[in-house]
Amino acid sequence: NGTLHGTMTWLDGSIVGGASLTVASNATLFLPTSVSSKSLAGFITNAGTIKMIGAFALTPSGVLHNLPDALMDAQPSASVTLNVGGLIINDGTIRKSAGTGTVSVRGSLVNNGVLDAQTGTISLDTSAGGTKVIGDGSSYIGAGTNLWKSYVTLAGDFTSENLVADNA
């Protein structure tokens, strides 16, 4: 268990069950392209910035909590996949800021924060499992597209400027 102050690049490997990593408010965790998946069976609490650069898959069976004022920023031109098995709680901002690709959130997501698709698409995909809960006060913004791909559970009021619902 530890807290990141500064910058860390996660190339490969696992955060095992029971282990935790906290990204402090002034810290940045880089997730670059790599041959292998990064595996999360423990906990990541993000109070700073997580930058997803390049195409990769984060295979969670743990919990990733993006706190208020924290940022998860996807900058790939290819797709980024947050796979089924774990839980992402977004109380901050998940942003797609570069490239024309898609960020697919295929695991369970509770969104109480902002999904900001500045370019490309952020897709909430339940077709491969996982549940999506749209919490009270969540918002969907940006010049790109926020896509509800399949079923979501509405748990309060939300705002949108670019949301597309498609059960196909």
Side-chain angles (χ1 to χ4, degrees):
N1 299 337
T3 300
L4 170 63
H5 299 276
T7 301
M8 177 179 145
T9 300
W10 183 6
L11 294 176
D12 192 8
S14 300
I15 296 176
V16 298
S20 64
L21 172 65
T22 298
V23 179
S25 62
N26 61 343
T28 301
L29 175 61
F30 286 99
L31 303 175
T33 299
S34 64
V35 175
S36 300
S37 294
K38 292 119 178 107
S39 177
L40 175 61
F43 302 91
I44 293 178
T45 302
N46 181 35
T49 301
I50 296 175
K51 286 193 177 188
M52 300 171 278
I53 300 174
F56 76 92
L58 175 62
T59 306
S61 59
V63 176
L64 194 159
H65 189 177
N66 199 43
L67 296 175
D69 299 321
L71 173 65
M72 292 176 60
D73 186 19
Q75 301 178 349
S77 57
S79 66
V80 171
T81 303
L82 304 173
N83 284 321
V84 173
L87 171 63
I88 298 169
I89 302 167
N90 180 43
D91 292 320
T93 299
I94 296 175
R95 177 177 294 146
K96 171 89 170 68
S97 65
T100 58
T102 299
V103 174
S104 295
V105 181
R106 299 179 74 184
S108 294
L109 170 75
V110 175
N111 184 44
N112 301 307
V114 176
L115 293 184
D116 180 8
Q118 294 179 347
T119 181
T121 302
I122 298 174
S123 174
L124 305 184
D125 186 356
T126 57
S127 63
T131 58
K132 306 299 181 289
V133 177
I134 307 308
D136 197 34
S138 62
S139 63
Y140 304 85
I141 64 173
T145 302
N146 282 294
L147 175 64
W148 288 353
K149 186 75 175 161
S150 200
Y151 303 99
V152 298
T153 300
L154 299 175
D157 294 338
F158 65 94
T159 60
S160 170
E161 60 186 45
N162 65 349
L163 187 59
V164 175
D166 181 6
N167 277 343

